[in-house]
């Protein structure tokens, strides 16, 4: 673990799954779903040598049931802000998308499945929810960071929202696991490719700045034409 103290402090995000079919595995494991996605183009060839198998992106904790991965956790002590942003805002969404692709093996699961991720950065935590609301567009929503209690006075007021967040995460992936267990896996031919493709999706983080930039461009074009 990158920070044992943080992992112990936020350990209830993993221990809440005790007694369920979901197991929280730690010690920096690679996501099997991400490994499968990365090595899809790795095929036998009579002309070119086969490529070495690539490792997937690692997470501090992987939530899984058997071979089904339903979520992950990234922990960073907060000393390196660049690494925290790269792990929780860039790497984790890619891993969640690959996990979501592996859980939606049937059309009935496409718009029902959810996978989650916890981004623990310093003394705060955010919940990431990945799903496909319509079509083949992957949506990732993130909660506002919740901070860990700092003293005895705010222990209850800050700990209760954290416990509520842990319960929400467990409910979401347990519901997804129930949908998966009640769905018969279809028989399909092995073509070496996924059943469908989830294209990368990007959402502008600041639409106001884009509209202002567009307005300045329009005003400049009007001024140029008037001259």
């Amino acid at each position: 673990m990158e920070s044992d103290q943080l992992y112990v402090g936020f350990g209830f995000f993993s221990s809440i799954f005790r007694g369920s079919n979901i197991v929280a595995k730690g010690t920096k494991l690679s996501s099997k779903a991400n490994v499968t996605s990365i090595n899809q183009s790795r095929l036998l060839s009579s002309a070119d040598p086969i490529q070495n198998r690539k490792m997937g992106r690692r997470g501090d904790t992987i939530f899984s049931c058997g071979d089904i991965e339903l979520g992950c956790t990234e922990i960073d002590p907060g000393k390196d802000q660049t690494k925290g942003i790269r792990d929780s805002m860039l790497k984790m969404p890619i891993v969640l998308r690959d996990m979501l692709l592996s859980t939606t093996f049937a059309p009935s699961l496409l718009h029902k499945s959810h996978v989650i991720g916890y981004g623990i950065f310093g003394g705060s935590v955010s919940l990431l929810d990945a799903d496909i609301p319509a079509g083949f567009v992957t949506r990732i929503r993130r909660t506002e960071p919740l901070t860990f209690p700092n003293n005895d006075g705010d222990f209850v007021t800050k700990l209760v929202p954290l416990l509520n967040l842990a319960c929400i995460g467990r409910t979401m992936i347990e519901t997804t696991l129930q949908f998966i267990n009640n769905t018969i896996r279809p028989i399909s031919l092995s073509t070496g490719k996924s059943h469908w493709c989830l294209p990368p999706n990007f959402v502008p983080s600041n639409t106001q700045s884009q509209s202002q930039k567009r307005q300045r461009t329009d005003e400049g074009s009007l001024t140029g034409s008037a001259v």
Side-chain angles (χ1 to χ4, degrees):
M1 290 298 170
E2 296 178 353
S3 177
D4 293 337
Q5 294 181 354
L6 282 177
Y7 186 71
V8 172
F10 291 95
F12 52 86
F13 286 104
S14 299
S15 61
I16 195 173
F17 293 101
R18 293 176 182 174
S20 67
N21 294 325
I22 300 172
V23 179
K25 301 178 181 179
T27 65
K28 276 290 185 181
L29 296 176
S30 298
S31 169
K32 296 180 181 179
N34 187 246
V35 171
T36 302
S37 177
I38 292 176
N39 292 279
Q40 279 187 352
S41 60
R42 184 172 176 264
L43 301 175
L44 291 174
S45 174
S46 59
D48 300 324
I50 186 173
Q51 299 178 357
N52 294 330
R53 183 177 176 83
K54 300 178 181 178
M55 292 184 61
R57 296 175 174 86
R58 296 188 176 188
D60 291 290
T61 305
I62 302 293
F63 304 113
S64 62
C65 178
D67 59 347
I68 303 174
E69 295 179 339
L70 299 166
C72 61
T73 299
E74 281 291 342
I75 302 176
D76 188 84
K79 298 179 181 179
D80 188 351
Q81 187 177 10
T82 302
K83 185 178 183 301
I85 293 175
R86 183 176 65 248
D87 289 347
S88 62
M89 296 186 181
L90 296 178
K91 182 177 76 173
M92 188 186 298
I94 296 175
V95 175
L96 293 179
R97 173 182 167 274
D98 294 335
M99 289 182 179
L100 187 62
L101 179 62
S102 64
T103 59
T104 56
F105 54 81
S108 60
L109 297 172
L110 188 60
H111 300 147
K112 293 182 179 180
S113 299
H114 289 257
V115 295
I116 65 168
Y118 292 111
I120 301 175
F121 183 73
S124 62
V125 57
S126 297
L127 172 67
L128 280 74
D129 170 32
D131 67 336
I132 306 173
F136 297 93
V137 178
T138 307
R139 176 179 64 178
I140 296 181
R141 296 176 291 179
R142 182 191 304 269
T143 62
E144 291 293 331
L146 297 176
T147 58
F148 199 75
N150 298 318
N151 51 68
D152 297 340
D154 63 356
F155 184 80
V156 176
T157 56
K158 288 190 175 182
L159 186 61
V160 170
L162 291 172
L163 296 176
N164 187 27
L165 190 68
C167 293
I168 292 174
R170 171 173 174 168
T171 302
M172 292 175 64
I173 59 178
E174 280 186 341
T175 303
T176 299
L177 182 61
Q178 184 178 2
F179 287 143
I180 294 174
N181 292 336
N182 295 333
T183 303
I184 299 176
R185 185 178 291 271
I187 300 175
S188 59
L189 296 176
S190 177
T191 59
K193 297 182 179 180
S194 300
H195 41 284
W196 43 58
C197 176
L198 297 179
N201 302 280
F202 300 94
V203 178
S205 59
N206 192 349
T207 56
Q208 183 179 1
S209 61
Q210 291 185 354
S211 61
Q212 292 177 352
K213 181 178 179 181
R214 189 180 301 109
Q215 184 179 1
R216 290 196 300 267
T217 304
D218 296 339
E219 290 176 356
S221 60
L222 291 175
T223 304
S225 60
V227 174

